[in-house]
Amino acid sequence: MSFPDALNVLKSRSLPALVQEELERMIIDGRLLPGEPLREVALSALLGVSRGPIREAFRGLEEKGLVTVVKNCGVHVRTLDVDEADQIYEVRAVLEGMIGAKAAREIGPEGCGELRALIASMEEAVSGSDINRYTALNFHLHDRLAALAGNRKLHETYNRLVSELALFRRQTYVHNEASLALSLEEHKAIVSAVCTGDAERAAALLQAHTRDSRSRMHQVLDPADPIARSANTRSPE
Amino acid sequence: MSFPDALNVLKSRSLPALVQEELERMIIDGRLLPGEPLREVALSALLGVSRGPIREAFRGLEEKGLVTVVKNCGVHVRTLDVDEADQIYEVRAVLEGMIGAKAAREIGPEGCGELRALIASMEEAVSGSDINRYTALNFHLHDRLAALAGNRKLHETYNRLVSELALFRRQTYVHNEASLALSLEEHKAIVSAVCTGDAERAAALLQAHTRDSRSRMHQVLDPADPIARSANTRSPE
DNA sequence: GTATTGCATATTGTTGACAATCTTCTTGTG
DNA sequence: CACAAGAAGATTGTCAACAATATGCAATAC
């Protein structure tokens, strides 16, 4: 990091903000698991700050829905049950439809170039059976679509729900090479609809994609579940 | 407050949580205005607590989008510009459609009774030209609809956006007796569609209602604005 | 008169200390 | 041996003190 960059960080970032971001990363990428306690004193030692900023960060994370704070008992990474995950998926599907429609209407050549480059990278990841890379690109593609829809509140609202889902999806995100290939085809179709300006198709494809993801979650949890049955050979998200 | 209630509050509610709720009420009901600074020391004296819990509450409010926290400069009630308000309305319209459809499908006799009672109260408020009471009932009706949709994440997502809009709407919420009467008719139609299980109509009415509200906002800000022109004789929200 | 510098004040950011609460372990009793 | 009570330890909640930073005002220089 250059001196100007370091100076900028020092002047604009407080300890609570930095701590909150780090803890959020740890939660989203699985270093902190649902149900796991977050100990003020241990984190204070680990991160080299006093407990005050950690307490402040906890409040932000609580409001973001990633942790639960119980007076006198401590803070835990929040656990999400299947009912709540279902509810999130239901709302997410509607928002995905909105994202697809708006992105298809608003996108320009630069945006399409970007999405197509992401698809190309995803193709490489599938060829190399690099599941981790594919997962990261998958997330990035959806994030970019939400941003290209051109409504920041929509993007934020979507991201909030997706972050909460991360508490749950990690337990149920199971895939193999066949399902990766299928997922890639779905993403290609979505990007194609968006880049040709077909708002209705883009919306429908993204909504179906979300519903598949939800069905697949149920299949992993309970193969006999009726919702899971609709996910026979669909993509793993 | 009874002793058991007071004991319950004491055992389960921390100072930061109480402070956050109080500040949020002050923001939503206009006692604290957008742009207004929130001084730790002054609030500490006012609320009778030390600065630590206040700082914690600020972090929660920041994550909720109601305040901005700038390092070394302090905390201010967030100001919302018309672009952001537009974006919120756009997302809100889609969520309202979802709420209307789901409420119409899921509602039972108790829920309908509740909504009809609220409409009756709103009729009284209109008869008595009690604008404040009508406003509170109006908000309550929308909140109950969102709850009756039967998806908690949808309700929370909707509430978050509505809370943020409160930062802006207070400046633009203008009405008179004629517009109150019109608003009441719209709400009657919405409740009627929901209670007869007409999901499509309920969704369409709620979306139109939201779009009217947005248009009206623009009319107050700039009568020559093209978006405002579509709100000629519509209801004030 | 204007611009710059220095100082005082107000406020924020962080830390450590103390009190309160919960959990776990140990001891005593039946 | 099982259960209850008490003590110890771990942790959280809050406060006050100190350091750091921003803002406003007065004094000085050009």
Side-chain angles (χ1 to χ4, degrees):
Chain A
M1 193 186 293
S2 66
F3 174 74
D5 287 343
L7 184 63
N8 190 47
V9 166
L10 201 59
K11 289 197 67 75
S12 64
R13 312 310 307 277
S14 59
L15 290 182
L18 288 171
V19 169
Q20 183 175 328
E21 286 172 23
E22 177 61 17
L23 290 177
E24 187 170 337
R25 272 195 295 272
M26 291 165 78
I27 290 169
I28 299 294
D29 70 23
R31 282 178 287 155
L32 287 174
L33 297 175
E36 200 164 335
L38 304 184
R39 299 293 180 218
E40 295 177 13
V41 176
L43 285 171
S44 175
L46 177 70
L47 302 176
V49 301
S50 73
R51 289 170 45 226
I54 287 168
R55 294 182 60 80
E56 289 187 37
F58 283 165
R59 294 294 170 178
L61 289 169
E62 179 186 27
E63 198 58 56
K64 199 157 190 173
L66 297 182
V67 301
T68 52
V69 178
V70 180
K71 181 178 176 179
N72 291 327
C73 292
V75 177
H76 294 77
V77 180
R78 193 156 73 88
T79 57
L80 204 60
D81 64 23
V82 68
D83 281 347
E84 190 172 356
D86 270 335
Q87 291 181 13
I88 294 176
Y89 270 117
E90 193 178 25
V91 180
R92 182 178 155 182
V94 170
L95 295 181
E96 291 269 14
M98 188 179 172
I99 286 165
K102 284 184 64 69
R105 287 192 203 106
E106 312 247 341
I107 202 162
E110 282 192 2
C112 277
E114 188 183 352
L115 294 180
R116 287 185 174 130
L118 280 174
I119 291 287
S121 299
M122 286 164 90
E123 281 171 329
E124 287 176 18
V126 170
S127 297
S129 297
D130 189 340
I131 289 170
N132 286 336
R133 178 157 165 74
Y134 184 84
T135 302
L137 288 165
N138 183 354
F139 173 83
H140 192 46
L141 178 70
H142 282 279
D143 185 65
R144 293 309 301 151
L145 276 169
L148 290 166
N151 179 323
R152 184 163 58 83
K153 301 312 293 187
L154 173 59
H155 189 192
E156 285 175 8
T157 302
Y158 173 82
N159 271 348
R160 179 175 298 272
L161 291 170
V162 168
S163 292
E164 285 189 75
L165 259 184
L167 294 173
F168 194 82
R169 292 185 74 199
R170 186 157 293 277
Q171 307 170 36
T172 59
Y173 195 63
V174 179
H175 45 66
N176 53 45
E177 290 187 8
S179 56
L180 275 199
L182 194 56
S183 169
L184 178 60
E185 291 308 309
E186 288 188 0
H187 286 109
K188 279 181 168 176
I190 288 162
V191 168
S192 176
V194 168
C195 290
T196 53
D198 190 339
E200 283 190 21
R201 184 148 180 270
L205 286 172
L206 273 165
Q207 290 190 318
H209 190 65
T210 305
R211 282 192 291 263
D212 290 346
S213 183
R214 178 182 171 188
S215 302
R216 194 65 178 182
M217 169 186 79
H218 281 275
Q219 190 169 31
V220 170
L221 292 175
D222 178 2
D225 184 329
I227 300 182
R229 281 210 220 102
S230 67
N232 288 345
T233 52
R234 309 308 293 262
S235 78
E237 42 177 334
Chain B
M1 192 186 294
S2 65
F3 175 74
D5 287 344
L7 186 62
N8 190 48
V9 165
L10 200 60
K11 289 196 67 74
S12 65
R13 311 310 308 276
S14 59
L15 289 182
L18 288 172
V19 169
Q20 182 175 329
E21 286 172 26
E22 178 62 17
L23 290 177
E24 187 169 337
R25 272 194 297 271
M26 290 165 80
I27 290 169
I28 299 296
D29 70 22
R31 281 178 285 154
L32 287 176
L33 298 174
E36 199 163 336
L38 304 184
R39 298 294 179 217
E40 295 178 14
V41 176
L43 284 171
S44 176
L46 178 70
L47 301 176
V49 300
S50 73
R51 287 169 45 225
I54 287 168
R55 294 182 60 82
E56 289 187 37
F58 283 165
R59 294 293 170 180
L61 289 169
E62 180 187 27
E63 198 58 56
K64 201 159 188 171
L66 296 182
V67 302
T68 52
V69 178
V70 180
K71 181 178 176 179
N72 291 325
C73 293
V75 178
H76 295 77
V77 180
R78 194 155 74 88
T79 58
L80 205 61
D81 63 22
V82 68
D83 282 348
E84 189 172 359
D86 270 335
Q87 292 182 10
I88 294 176
Y89 270 117
E90 193 178 23
V91 179
R92 181 178 155 182
V94 170
L95 294 181
E96 291 271 13
M98 187 178 172
I99 286 164
K102 284 184 64 69
R105 287 192 204 106
E106 312 247 342
I107 202 161
E110 282 192 1
C112 277
E114 188 183 352
L115 295 180
R116 287 185 173 129
L118 279 174
I119 291 286
S121 299
M122 287 164 89
E123 280 171 330
E124 287 177 18
V126 170
S127 295
S129 298
D130 189 341
I131 289 170
N132 287 337
R133 178 157 165 75
Y134 184 83
T135 303
L137 289 164
N138 183 351
F139 174 81
H140 191 48
L141 178 69
H142 282 279
D143 185 66
R144 293 308 302 150
L145 276 170
L148 289 166
N151 180 320
R152 186 165 57 85
K153 301 311 293 186
L154 173 59
H155 190 191
E156 284 176 9
T157 302
Y158 172 82
N159 270 348
R160 177 175 298 272
L161 292 171
V162 168
S163 293
E164 286 188 74
L165 258 185
L167 294 172
F168 195 82
R169 293 185 75 198
R170 187 157 292 274
Q171 307 171 35
T172 59
Y173 195 63
V174 179
H175 44 66
N176 53 44
E177 289 186 10
S179 55
L180 274 200
L182 195 56
S183 168
L184 178 60
E185 291 308 310
E186 290 188 0
H187 287 110
K188 279 181 171 177
I190 288 161
V191 168
S192 174
V194 168
C195 290
T196 54
D198 191 338
E200 283 190 22
R201 183 147 180 271
L205 286 172
L206 272 165
Q207 289 190 319
H209 190 64
T210 306
R211 283 193 291 264
D212 290 346
S213 182
R214 178 179 170 188
S215 300
R216 195 65 177 181
M217 169 187 78
H218 281 276
Q219 190 169 32
V220 170
L221 292 175
D222 178 3
D225 185 328
I227 301 182
R229 281 211 221 102
S230 67
N232 289 345
T233 53
R234 309 307 294 263
S235 78
E237 44 176 332

Short mmCIF file of all heavy atoms in Angstrom, two decimals, chain B residues 128-166:
data_model
loop_
_atom_site.label_atom_id
_atom_site.label_comp_id
_atom_site.label_asym_id
_atom_site.label_seq_id
_atom_site.Cartn_x
_atom_site.Cartn_y
_atom_site.Cartn_z
N GLY B 128 -63.40 13.80 10.39
CA GLY B 128 -63.01 14.81 11.35
C GLY B 128 -61.85 15.67 10.86
O GLY B 128 -61.30 16.46 11.62
N SER B 129 -61.46 15.47 9.55
CA SER B 129 -60.32 16.22 9.01
C SER B 129 -59.08 16.13 9.91
O SER B 129 -58.34 17.09 10.04
CB SER B 129 -60.68 17.69 8.76
OG SER B 129 -61.70 17.78 7.80
N ASP B 130 -58.92 14.95 10.52
CA ASP B 130 -57.78 14.76 11.41
C ASP B 130 -56.61 14.18 10.60
O ASP B 130 -56.43 12.96 10.52
CB ASP B 130 -58.18 13.83 12.55
CG ASP B 130 -57.13 13.74 13.64
OD1 ASP B 130 -55.95 14.10 13.35
OD2 ASP B 130 -57.47 13.31 14.75
N ILE B 131 -55.81 15.06 10.05
CA ILE B 131 -54.75 14.64 9.13
C ILE B 131 -53.69 13.79 9.83
O ILE B 131 -53.20 12.79 9.29
CB ILE B 131 -54.12 15.87 8.44
CG1 ILE B 131 -55.15 16.45 7.46
CG2 ILE B 131 -52.82 15.52 7.73
CD1 ILE B 131 -54.77 17.80 6.87
N ASN B 132 -53.32 14.19 11.03
CA ASN B 132 -52.31 13.41 11.74
C ASN B 132 -52.76 11.99 12.02
O ASN B 132 -52.01 11.03 11.87
CB ASN B 132 -51.93 14.11 13.06
CG ASN B 132 -51.08 15.34 12.83
OD1 ASN B 132 -50.41 15.46 11.80
ND2 ASN B 132 -51.11 16.27 13.76
N ARG B 133 -54.01 11.88 12.46
CA ARG B 133 -54.52 10.55 12.75
C ARG B 133 -54.61 9.72 11.47
O ARG B 133 -54.26 8.54 11.46
CB ARG B 133 -55.89 10.65 13.42
CG ARG B 133 -56.51 9.31 13.71
CD ARG B 133 -57.55 9.39 14.82
NE ARG B 133 -58.38 8.19 14.87
CZ ARG B 133 -57.98 7.01 15.34
NH1 ARG B 133 -56.75 6.86 15.78
NH2 ARG B 133 -58.80 5.98 15.36
N TYR B 134 -55.05 10.34 10.40
CA TYR B 134 -55.14 9.62 9.14
C TYR B 134 -53.77 9.12 8.70
O TYR B 134 -53.61 7.98 8.26
CB TYR B 134 -55.73 10.52 8.03
CG TYR B 134 -55.94 9.76 6.75
CD1 TYR B 134 -57.08 8.99 6.54
CD2 TYR B 134 -54.96 9.77 5.75
CE1 TYR B 134 -57.25 8.26 5.37
CE2 TYR B 134 -55.12 9.05 4.58
CZ TYR B 134 -56.27 8.31 4.39
OH TYR B 134 -56.43 7.59 3.24
N THR B 135 -52.78 9.95 8.86
CA THR B 135 -51.42 9.58 8.48
C THR B 135 -50.94 8.37 9.25
O THR B 135 -50.37 7.42 8.69
CB THR B 135 -50.46 10.76 8.70
OG1 THR B 135 -50.93 11.89 7.96
CG2 THR B 135 -49.04 10.41 8.29
N ALA B 136 -51.16 8.39 10.55
CA ALA B 136 -50.72 7.26 11.38
C ALA B 136 -51.45 5.98 10.99
O ALA B 136 -50.86 4.90 10.88
CB ALA B 136 -50.95 7.58 12.86
N LEU B 137 -52.75 6.08 10.74
CA LEU B 137 -53.53 4.91 10.34
C LEU B 137 -53.09 4.40 8.97
O LEU B 137 -53.03 3.20 8.72
CB LEU B 137 -55.02 5.27 10.31
CG LEU B 137 -55.67 5.49 11.68
CD1 LEU B 137 -57.01 6.20 11.53
CD2 LEU B 137 -55.85 4.16 12.40
N ASN B 138 -52.81 5.31 8.10
CA ASN B 138 -52.33 5.00 6.76
C ASN B 138 -51.06 4.14 6.86
O ASN B 138 -50.97 3.05 6.27
CB ASN B 138 -52.03 6.32 6.05
CG ASN B 138 -51.59 6.14 4.63
OD1 ASN B 138 -51.33 5.02 4.16
ND2 ASN B 138 -51.48 7.22 3.89
N PHE B 139 -50.12 4.61 7.65
CA PHE B 139 -48.89 3.86 7.83
C PHE B 139 -49.19 2.49 8.41
O PHE B 139 -48.64 1.47 7.97
CB PHE B 139 -47.93 4.63 8.74
CG PHE B 139 -46.69 3.85 9.07
CD1 PHE B 139 -45.63 3.78 8.19
CD2 PHE B 139 -46.62 3.13 10.27
CE1 PHE B 139 -44.49 3.03 8.49
CE2 PHE B 139 -45.50 2.38 10.57
CZ PHE B 139 -44.43 2.33 9.69
N HIS B 140 -50.06 2.46 9.40
CA HIS B 140 -50.38 1.22 10.09
C HIS B 140 -51.02 0.22 9.13
O HIS B 140 -50.72 -0.98 9.13
CB HIS B 140 -51.29 1.52 11.27
CG HIS B 140 -51.48 0.38 12.20
ND1 HIS B 140 -50.43 -0.35 12.69
CD2 HIS B 140 -52.59 -0.17 12.74
CE1 HIS B 140 -50.88 -1.31 13.49
NE2 HIS B 140 -52.20 -1.22 13.54
N LEU B 141 -51.89 0.71 8.27
CA LEU B 141 -52.55 -0.17 7.30
C LEU B 141 -51.53 -0.83 6.38
O LEU B 141 -51.55 -2.05 6.15
CB LEU B 141 -53.56 0.63 6.45
CG LEU B 141 -54.27 -0.19 5.37
CD1 LEU B 141 -55.23 -1.21 5.99
CD2 LEU B 141 -55.03 0.70 4.40
N HIS B 142 -50.61 -0.05 5.86
CA HIS B 142 -49.59 -0.61 4.98
C HIS B 142 -48.71 -1.61 5.72
O HIS B 142 -48.33 -2.66 5.19
CB HIS B 142 -48.73 0.51 4.38
CG HIS B 142 -49.42 1.23 3.26
ND1 HIS B 142 -49.46 0.73 1.98
CD2 HIS B 142 -50.10 2.39 3.23
CE1 HIS B 142 -50.14 1.56 1.20
NE2 HIS B 142 -50.55 2.59 1.94
N ASP B 143 -48.40 -1.30 6.95
CA ASP B 143 -47.57 -2.22 7.73
C ASP B 143 -48.29 -3.54 7.97
O ASP B 143 -47.70 -4.62 7.86
CB ASP B 143 -47.20 -1.55 9.06
CG ASP B 143 -46.25 -2.41 9.87
OD1 ASP B 143 -45.09 -2.61 9.41
OD2 ASP B 143 -46.65 -2.90 10.94
N ARG B 144 -49.56 -3.46 8.28
CA ARG B 144 -50.34 -4.68 8.50
C ARG B 144 -50.47 -5.51 7.22
O ARG B 144 -50.40 -6.74 7.25
CB ARG B 144 -51.76 -4.34 9.05
CG ARG B 144 -51.76 -3.74 10.44
CD ARG B 144 -50.96 -4.57 11.43
NE ARG B 144 -51.46 -5.94 11.53
CZ ARG B 144 -50.70 -7.01 11.82
NH1 ARG B 144 -49.42 -6.87 12.03
NH2 ARG B 144 -51.22 -8.21 11.92
N LEU B 145 -50.64 -4.83 6.12
CA LEU B 145 -50.70 -5.56 4.85
C LEU B 145 -49.41 -6.34 4.61
O LEU B 145 -49.43 -7.52 4.24
CB LEU B 145 -50.92 -4.58 3.67
CG LEU B 145 -52.35 -4.18 3.37
CD1 LEU B 145 -52.37 -3.04 2.37
CD2 LEU B 145 -53.14 -5.37 2.82
N ALA B 146 -48.29 -5.66 4.87
CA ALA B 146 -46.99 -6.32 4.67
C ALA B 146 -46.85 -7.52 5.60
O ALA B 146 -46.32 -8.57 5.22
CB ALA B 146 -45.85 -5.33 4.87
N ALA B 147 -47.34 -7.35 6.82
CA ALA B 147 -47.26 -8.47 7.77
C ALA B 147 -48.17 -9.62 7.33
O ALA B 147 -47.82 -10.79 7.43
CB ALA B 147 -47.63 -7.99 9.18
N LEU B 148 -49.36 -9.27 6.85
CA LEU B 148 -50.33 -10.30 6.46
C LEU B 148 -49.92 -11.03 5.19
O LEU B 148 -50.50 -12.07 4.85
CB LEU B 148 -51.72 -9.67 6.29
CG LEU B 148 -52.37 -9.23 7.60
CD1 LEU B 148 -53.57 -8.32 7.34
CD2 LEU B 148 -52.81 -10.45 8.41
N ALA B 149 -48.94 -10.52 4.50
CA ALA B 149 -48.42 -11.23 3.32
C ALA B 149 -47.76 -12.54 3.73
O ALA B 149 -47.54 -13.42 2.90
CB ALA B 149 -47.45 -10.34 2.54
N GLY B 150 -47.40 -12.66 4.98
CA GLY B 150 -46.91 -13.93 5.50
C GLY B 150 -45.46 -14.26 5.20
O GLY B 150 -45.06 -15.41 5.29
N ASN B 151 -44.66 -13.28 4.87
CA ASN B 151 -43.23 -13.50 4.66
C ASN B 151 -42.49 -12.44 5.45
O ASN B 151 -42.49 -11.26 5.10
CB ASN B 151 -42.90 -13.40 3.16
CG ASN B 151 -41.42 -13.61 2.88
OD1 ASN B 151 -40.55 -13.14 3.62
ND2 ASN B 151 -41.12 -14.30 1.78
N ARG B 152 -41.87 -12.87 6.54
CA ARG B 152 -41.23 -11.90 7.44
C ARG B 152 -40.11 -11.12 6.78
O ARG B 152 -39.91 -9.94 7.05
CB ARG B 152 -40.74 -12.62 8.69
CG ARG B 152 -40.19 -11.67 9.74
CD ARG B 152 -40.06 -12.35 11.09
NE ARG B 152 -39.22 -13.53 11.00
CZ ARG B 152 -37.89 -13.50 11.08
NH1 ARG B 152 -37.26 -12.37 11.21
NH2 ARG B 152 -37.20 -14.62 11.01
N LYS B 153 -39.35 -11.81 5.92
CA LYS B 153 -38.24 -11.10 5.25
C LYS B 153 -38.79 -10.03 4.31
O LYS B 153 -38.16 -8.98 4.11
CB LYS B 153 -37.35 -12.08 4.47
CG LYS B 153 -36.73 -13.16 5.32
CD LYS B 153 -36.06 -12.63 6.58
CE LYS B 153 -34.83 -11.79 6.29
NZ LYS B 153 -34.12 -11.42 7.54
N LEU B 154 -39.94 -10.31 3.72
CA LEU B 154 -40.56 -9.31 2.86
C LEU B 154 -40.98 -8.11 3.71
O LEU B 154 -40.73 -6.95 3.34
CB LEU B 154 -41.78 -9.92 2.16
CG LEU B 154 -42.66 -8.99 1.35
CD1 LEU B 154 -41.88 -8.31 0.23
CD2 LEU B 154 -43.84 -9.78 0.74
N HIS B 155 -41.57 -8.38 4.84
CA HIS B 155 -42.01 -7.32 5.74
C HIS B 155 -40.82 -6.49 6.20
O HIS B 155 -40.84 -5.25 6.16
CB HIS B 155 -42.72 -7.97 6.94
CG HIS B 155 -43.42 -7.00 7.83
ND1 HIS B 155 -43.92 -7.34 9.06
CD2 HIS B 155 -43.70 -5.69 7.69
CE1 HIS B 155 -44.49 -6.28 9.63
NE2 HIS B 155 -44.35 -5.27 8.81
N GLU B 156 -39.75 -7.14 6.62
CA GLU B 156 -38.56 -6.42 7.07
C GLU B 156 -37.95 -5.59 5.95
O GLU B 156 -37.54 -4.43 6.15
CB GLU B 156 -37.50 -7.42 7.56
CG GLU B 156 -37.77 -8.00 8.92
CD GLU B 156 -36.74 -9.06 9.30
OE1 GLU B 156 -35.73 -9.21 8.58
OE2 GLU B 156 -36.96 -9.74 10.32
N THR B 157 -37.86 -6.19 4.76
CA THR B 157 -37.27 -5.48 3.63
C THR B 157 -38.10 -4.24 3.28
O THR B 157 -37.56 -3.15 3.05
CB THR B 157 -37.18 -6.42 2.40
OG1 THR B 157 -36.40 -7.56 2.77
CG2 THR B 157 -36.57 -5.73 1.21
N TYR B 158 -39.39 -4.42 3.28
CA TYR B 158 -40.30 -3.30 3.02
C TYR B 158 -40.13 -2.22 4.09
O TYR B 158 -40.00 -1.03 3.77
CB TYR B 158 -41.74 -3.83 3.00
CG TYR B 158 -42.80 -2.78 2.92
CD1 TYR B 158 -43.15 -2.20 1.71
CD2 TYR B 158 -43.45 -2.34 4.08
CE1 TYR B 158 -44.14 -1.23 1.64
CE2 TYR B 158 -44.43 -1.37 4.02
CZ TYR B 158 -44.77 -0.82 2.80
OH TYR B 158 -45.73 0.14 2.74
N ASN B 159 -40.12 -2.63 5.35
CA ASN B 159 -40.00 -1.65 6.44
C ASN B 159 -38.71 -0.86 6.37
O ASN B 159 -38.70 0.34 6.68
CB ASN B 159 -40.08 -2.36 7.79
CG ASN B 159 -41.50 -2.47 8.30
OD1 ASN B 159 -42.40 -1.83 7.75
ND2 ASN B 159 -41.71 -3.28 9.32
N ARG B 160 -37.64 -1.52 5.98
CA ARG B 160 -36.37 -0.80 5.89
C ARG B 160 -36.45 0.33 4.88
O ARG B 160 -36.04 1.46 5.15
CB ARG B 160 -35.26 -1.77 5.49
CG ARG B 160 -33.91 -1.14 5.31
CD ARG B 160 -32.87 -2.17 5.03
NE ARG B 160 -32.75 -3.08 6.16
CZ ARG B 160 -31.96 -2.86 7.18
NH1 ARG B 160 -31.20 -1.79 7.23
NH2 ARG B 160 -31.91 -3.70 8.18
N LEU B 161 -37.03 0.02 3.72
CA LEU B 161 -37.15 1.04 2.68
C LEU B 161 -38.08 2.16 3.13
O LEU B 161 -37.81 3.35 2.90
CB LEU B 161 -37.64 0.41 1.39
CG LEU B 161 -36.64 -0.54 0.72
CD1 LEU B 161 -37.29 -1.29 -0.44
CD2 LEU B 161 -35.43 0.23 0.21
N VAL B 162 -39.18 1.80 3.77
CA VAL B 162 -40.13 2.81 4.23
C VAL B 162 -39.50 3.71 5.30
O VAL B 162 -39.72 4.93 5.30
CB VAL B 162 -41.41 2.12 4.77
CG1 VAL B 162 -42.27 3.11 5.51
CG2 VAL B 162 -42.19 1.52 3.60
N SER B 163 -38.70 3.13 6.17
CA SER B 163 -38.01 3.94 7.18
C SER B 163 -37.09 4.96 6.52
O SER B 163 -37.05 6.12 6.90
CB SER B 163 -37.17 3.06 8.12
OG SER B 163 -37.99 2.25 8.90
N GLU B 164 -36.36 4.49 5.53
CA GLU B 164 -35.47 5.42 4.83
C GLU B 164 -36.27 6.51 4.14
O GLU B 164 -35.87 7.68 4.14
CB GLU B 164 -34.59 4.68 3.82
CG GLU B 164 -33.47 3.88 4.46
CD GLU B 164 -32.52 3.32 3.42
OE1 GLU B 164 -31.73 4.10 2.86
OE2 GLU B 164 -32.59 2.10 3.15
N LEU B 165 -37.38 6.13 3.54
CA LEU B 165 -38.22 7.13 2.87
C LEU B 165 -38.73 8.18 3.84
O LEU B 165 -38.98 9.32 3.45
CB LEU B 165 -39.42 6.45 2.19
CG LEU B 165 -39.31 6.26 0.69
CD1 LEU B 165 -40.62 5.68 0.16
CD2 LEU B 165 -38.98 7.54 -0.04
N ALA B 166 -38.89 7.78 5.11
CA ALA B 166 -39.36 8.74 6.10
C ALA B 166 -38.40 9.92 6.20
O ALA B 166 -38.80 11.02 6.58
CB ALA B 166 -39.51 8.06 7.46
#
